Amino acid sequence: MDILVLGMVFFILLALVIGVIISRVSKSSKLEEELREEKELTHAIVASMGEGVLVLDTDYDIKLINPQAEKLLETTAKEAVGQKWAEFVKAYVGDQEITFDKRSSVKTLASGEIKITSIGDDHYYFTRSGRKFPIVAITAPLKREGKVVGVVKVFRDATHEKEIDRMKTDFISLASHQLRTPLSAIKWFTELLLDPAAGTLTMEQQGYAAKIAVSTDRMVSLVNSLLNISRIESGRIMIDPKPTDLLELVESVISELKRKMDTKGHKFIINTIDKLAPIPVDPKLIGHVYANLIDNAIKYTQDRGDISVFISKKNDEIISQISDSGFGIPVNEQQKLFQRFFRASNAIKHVTEGSGLGLYLVKAIVESSGGKIWFKSEEGKGSTFWFSLPIAGMQPKKGEVSLDS
């Protein structure tokens, strides 16, 4: 009897164990099936994307390429997978090849940050067949358990956008040129009206003429900004580096803005950490950068505020810092600051005139000079802008026109 009971208990336990095993096998099979379906779905999504997709490992070897990337790069997955990305497809800024350390995939892998390549960056891919085409791209780190294990690059051919951008630039340039002639005439005749030698005006007439003069100056400034932007974007600006003492350049800018500064009663400080040797830069272009940043500090700082310029050397760069105790920039608007035509909401309340083109132009000049620009700002407390220039200076470039010509 005991043996029968034990036998029954054994078979019951065995059945339970078999049931658990069958259940686990069933769950495992279901999990494998779910993983397989998820993998197939991911593959289908990547394969059907209208943009090119590449996955690189930490050695920058191509691990995955989707059909659209195969089409754009004129290759096949069989040919591309396993190849070194930087060797397989060359990347250019304009006509200059991007060195390995400057490639977005290298920067992303090193920093773990997303890199965005926009139409304004003027990046191109050069396929092995010799086709060169403009691109816009997003390069993102591929992470596993918080560790960067590769890079995902999504890109597309920007030929159409590039052409539209060129047409827009050409239109702005043409329209601005056409506006300059009548504006120059208005400005000249207004100056004649205000000259006592041309005859006596009543106080009311003088007021009207003065308002015409101020408005004309604003329009001339806007037209010049539009022209300068179109020239830089089209690559027509010449760069003529000369050994330049940056401290003296800033002092000359300050002298031109002194009346504005004195009117508002600002306290101004300029300093350098060491005696800096002259560096080869285009004084007209870099002077424009200083003039815009200092003029902004004057405009957007309340009366009797503090403005300072500090120039220093760090490694192989010269860093210029322009600080003010002004209105600052709202946090939720700071990412838009270097966009064309953008003006901060609090700035518009205090200073109504302005085109929103100055900082866009400044950024274009600094980056075309091989430098960077960045800032820190707190609303109600002020802003600090920094921009860097390579200590080796700017590279000369032939062009059709100079700034404001």
Side-chain angles (χ1 to χ4, degrees):
M1 186 70 177
D2 290 340
I3 294 173
L4 183 61
V5 171
L6 287 172
M8 289 178 65
V9 170
F10 172 76
F11 279 112
I12 290 169
L13 290 172
L14 181 62
L16 289 172
V17 169
I18 291 172
V20 169
I21 292 170
I22 292 171
S23 174
R24 286 184 176 177
V25 169
S26 176
K27 287 180 179 178
S28 177
S29 298
K30 186 177 180 182
L31 180 61
E32 286 179 2
E33 178 66 19
E34 287 176 353
L35 288 172
R36 185 182 64 78
E37 289 178 358
E38 186 176 328
K39 185 178 180 180
E40 288 178 354
L41 177 62
T42 302
H43 185 270
I45 291 170
V46 171
S48 62
M49 285 180 67
E51 291 81 17
V53 178
L54 291 166
V55 176
L56 314 178
D57 64 15
T58 53
D59 292 322
Y60 309 106
D61 292 338
I62 300 171
K63 305 302 290 182
L64 181 148
I65 179 170
N66 77 337
Q68 183 63 12
E70 292 179 54
K71 181 180 177 182
L72 290 171
L73 301 176
E74 299 173 343
T75 187
T76 63
K78 184 177 180 180
E79 184 182 38
V81 172
Q83 297 285 339
K84 295 289 184 186
W85 167 239
E87 297 172 5
F88 194 69
V89 173
K90 301 296 183 184
Y92 285 76
V93 174
D95 295 324
Q96 186 175 358
E97 185 175 349
I98 301 173
T99 57
F100 178 77
D101 60 311
K102 300 292 184 183
R103 297 280 294 241
S104 56
S105 54
V106 176
K107 288 184 175 181
T108 292
L109 197 60
S111 67
E113 297 176 354
I114 294 173
K115 301 294 179 185
I116 297 174
T117 304
S118 65
I119 193 76
D121 292 320
D122 200 30
H123 280 208
Y124 295 82
Y125 282 162
F126 207 114
T127 67
R128 290 191 296 174
S129 70
R131 188 173 82 92
K132 183 179 178 182
F133 63 95
I135 60 109
V136 292
I138 296 177
T139 309
L142 181 63
K143 295 184 178 181
R144 183 182 296 155
E145 297 178 356
K147 183 181 178 182
V148 178
V149 295
V151 171
V152 179
K153 180 179 282 291
V154 180
F155 67 96
R156 70 173 186 274
D157 185 338
T159 300
H160 182 62
E161 292 117 301
K162 198 76 174 174
E163 179 61 19
I164 292 173
D165 198 58
R166 185 194 64 77
M167 292 170 66
K168 175 201 66 183
T169 299
D170 288 349
F171 171 76
I172 290 173
S173 179
L174 178 63
S176 300
H177 270 295
Q178 294 300 316
L179 283 169
R180 279 185 107 176
T181 302
L183 283 171
S184 297
I186 294 169
K187 181 179 174 67
W188 186 60
F189 283 115
T190 304
E191 288 174 354
L192 284 177
L193 281 173
L194 289 169
D195 187 344
T200 304
L201 297 178
T202 65
M203 291 299 291
E204 187 177 18
Q205 289 170 334
Q206 287 181 33
Y208 293 151
K211 287 179 181 178
I212 293 172
V214 170
S215 296
T216 304
D217 283 341
R218 288 178 188 169
M219 282 298 295
V220 169
S221 177
L222 174 60
V223 166
N224 284 338
S225 294
L226 289 169
L227 274 173
N228 287 333
I229 287 169
S230 70
R231 289 163 175 169
I232 284 180
E233 289 182 340
S234 63
R236 293 168 55 225
I237 287 278
M238 65 178 73
I239 300 177
D240 184 20
K242 298 173 184 175
T244 304
D245 186 315
L246 294 181
L247 185 59
E248 289 181 2
L249 183 61
V250 171
E251 287 172 345
S252 70
V253 169
I254 296 300
S255 66
E256 292 175 7
L257 296 171
K258 191 174 187 307
R259 180 183 290 182
K260 282 186 179 181
M261 205 175 301
D262 291 344
T263 300
K264 298 193 73 175
H266 290 322
K267 180 183 177 183
F268 188 84
I269 298 172
I270 178 169
N271 197 10
T272 59
I273 194 166
D274 294 305
K275 175 62 178 175
L276 299 173
I279 65 169
V281 299
D282 188 316
K284 195 164 189 177
L285 289 171
I286 302 306
H288 186 92
V289 172
Y290 282 121
N292 185 277
L293 293 175
I294 296 170
D295 188 48
N296 279 352
I298 295 169
K299 281 195 298 187
Y300 301 118
T301 299
Q302 54 273 23
D303 291 355
R304 292 175 293 282
D306 296 320
I307 299 171
S308 64
V309 176
F310 182 65
I311 305 173
S312 61
K313 178 184 172 184
K314 184 178 180 182
N315 300 325
D316 58 350
E317 293 181 322
I318 299 293
I319 310 292
S320 296
Q321 173 184 316
I322 296 90
S323 302
D324 64 60
S325 58
F327 307 128
I329 304 152
V331 173
N332 62 341
E333 298 179 9
Q334 291 184 7
Q335 75 278 7
K336 302 176 185 177
L337 194 64
F338 293 108
Q339 293 178 8
R340 274 180 288 194
F341 304 111
F342 174 77
R343 296 189 69 215
S345 56
N346 60 338
I348 294 171
K349 291 176 184 176
H350 292 96
V351 183
T352 54
E353 72 271 9
S355 64
L357 292 170
L359 287 176
Y360 177 84
L361 183 57
V362 161
K363 185 173 186 285
I365 292 172
V366 170
E367 291 183 349
S368 68
S369 305
K372 302 184 292 291
I373 183 167
W374 65 101
F375 72 96
K376 183 178 181 181
S377 183
E378 186 175 348
E379 191 172 5
K381 292 190 176 180
S383 305
T384 297
F385 284 80
W386 294 268
F387 73 90
S388 65
L389 293 171
I391 202 163
M394 298 166 67
Q395 297 299 313
K397 178 180 175 294
K398 292 182 179 180
E400 301 170 25
V401 290
S402 60
L403 209 64
D404 291 329
S405 63

